[in-house]
Amino acid sequence: MKLKTSSPEPLQNSQKVKARRKFIKLSLSLFASSLIPSFYSKAISNLENSNSWSIGERIELREGQTITCTSLFPKRIYCVLIYNTSKNDRNVFLDINWSNQQAPKKMTIPGSENKQGDASIILVSGNDTSTISLSITTGNGGKIECQLVSTAIHKPSLTLPIRRIIANGKKYIIEKYQHYIGRINRGWYHLTLENRISQSVILQIQHHQIIIYILNPTQAALFNITSVGSITKNKDYLIQRSDFEGQPQRIEVLIQGNEETIIWIGASSKQALNNTTLALQALSITKVLSKEKPNPVKGKTLVCYSNKNKVYTVPWTEQ
């Protein structure tokens, strides 16, 4: 008995085109993969995560992994916030690689109970390097959560929590991971930070400098900070403790605006930050709505302009 065999049906024109395109794509992908050095995939544990880290996302880094950012901009200072998320209050030993000429710097990220410790901080300048890598080598710890913060990250991810603050004296409760962003125009501003109960740390990140505010500091306030490259204390970063002995603990500072963006972010546990508030108040005219000069004889009023585009008038008082 002979089996009847059938020859394959000829492809239609549209099918031929699709098959040809599929073959070309496969060939190009194989060619491109052959150009990528083998060490690249080993250096970065997850390429997608590395891209997310570069735009400010929080990334979890585990033992035996490395995370890298290769897009640090000159004339900007960068801060890496690190929370230890290991179990059983375990320390994590971190390698910070930022230069091919200098050995990686070692840093210990202290463990904490129930993942409630303060953040550790790494500072690096884009003037020194365009690349920074963090690694936890095998046998040196559990896992950490790290985030890259800078005013250079001007187009963050949609999932990055950002709150734009208004310079009208309103109090904002500092929430963990939340970025508070203010556009500081020319003129003077008054910043007030308060905490009623526990020690809390708030970072003020500007283009070229970072100020670390510590409210309710303990006698020996423990704050884990490491800098690499040319970053210098009292120049590139300052530490300011509250000198107000009453309660609530308060820090009040004047900021001279120069048309830049400032980021405030908490670097403490959720419980400590929930007791912390931030308020920014503009102390000078930031926008004039009318070019007409007020007539003190006719109106006998003083015209005041606010940063909310509203005009207020009050009786003129002879001094």
Side-chain angles (χ1 to χ4, degrees), residues 83 115-117 145 174-178 268-270 273:
Y83 285 96
K115 307 176 184 179
Q116 296 300 327
E145 192 177 62
I174 303 295
E175 299 179 10
K176 189 176 180 180
Y177 304 126
Q178 184 87 44
S268 295
S269 66
K270 184 178 185 299
L273 293 174

Side-chain angles (χ1 to χ4, degrees), residues 295-309:
N295 188 337
V297 177
K298 181 179 179 181
K300 292 186 178 181
T301 59
L302 175 64
V303 180
C304 302
Y305 302 92
S306 79
N307 61 346
K308 287 186 173 182
N309 295 339

Side-chain angles (χ1 to χ4, degrees), residues 104-258:
K105 200 165 188 177
K106 301 287 186 178
M107 184 179 189
T108 301
I109 312 300
S112 62
E113 294 182 2
N114 299 320
K115 307 176 184 179
Q116 296 300 327
D118 290 340
S120 297
I121 291 179
I122 301 170
L123 300 179
V124 61
S125 172
N127 291 333
D128 296 326
T129 180
S130 62
T131 302
I132 183 170
S133 297
L134 306 182
S135 304
I136 305 176
T137 56
T138 303
N140 281 297
K143 59 181 179 178
I144 61 173
E145 192 177 62
C146 53
Q147 184 176 31
L148 193 64
V149 187
S150 172
T151 59
I153 305 176
H154 60 286
K155 290 183 179 179
S157 163
L158 294 175
T159 61
L160 183 65
I162 290 178
R163 187 164 190 178
R164 300 194 179 275
I165 63 175
I166 303 174
N168 62 354
K170 176 183 176 180
K171 287 186 177 182
Y172 296 85
I173 297 176
I174 303 295
E175 299 179 10
K176 189 176 180 180
Y177 304 126
Q178 184 87 44
H179 289 54
Y180 298 85
I181 297 181
R183 174 69 179 176
I184 307 300
N185 299 315
R186 296 193 181 277
W188 288 96
Y189 293 77
H190 183 269
L191 175 70
T192 304
L193 299 170
E194 288 185 354
N195 184 298
R196 295 182 177 276
I197 302 175
S198 53
Q199 175 179 299
S200 59
V201 179
I202 300 94
L203 308 183
Q204 178 177 299
I205 301 173
Q206 299 171 241
H207 293 349
H208 308 294
Q209 190 178 65
I210 292 179
I211 302 177
I212 302 168
Y213 299 111
I214 304 179
L215 288 160
N216 277 320
T218 59
Q219 280 188 337
L222 298 177
F223 191 64
N224 194 24
I225 182 170
T226 294
S227 60
V228 298
S230 62
I231 296 289
T232 305
K233 186 178 180 181
N234 296 328
K235 178 187 175 184
D236 302 292
Y237 74 96
L238 310 173
I239 298 177
Q240 183 169 341
R241 292 175 170 83
S242 174
D243 56 2
F244 183 76
E245 296 181 356
Q247 287 295 335
Q249 282 273 294
R250 183 182 300 118
I251 293 179
E252 298 184 22
V253 295
L254 287 173
I255 299 175
Q256 187 175 16
N258 61 351

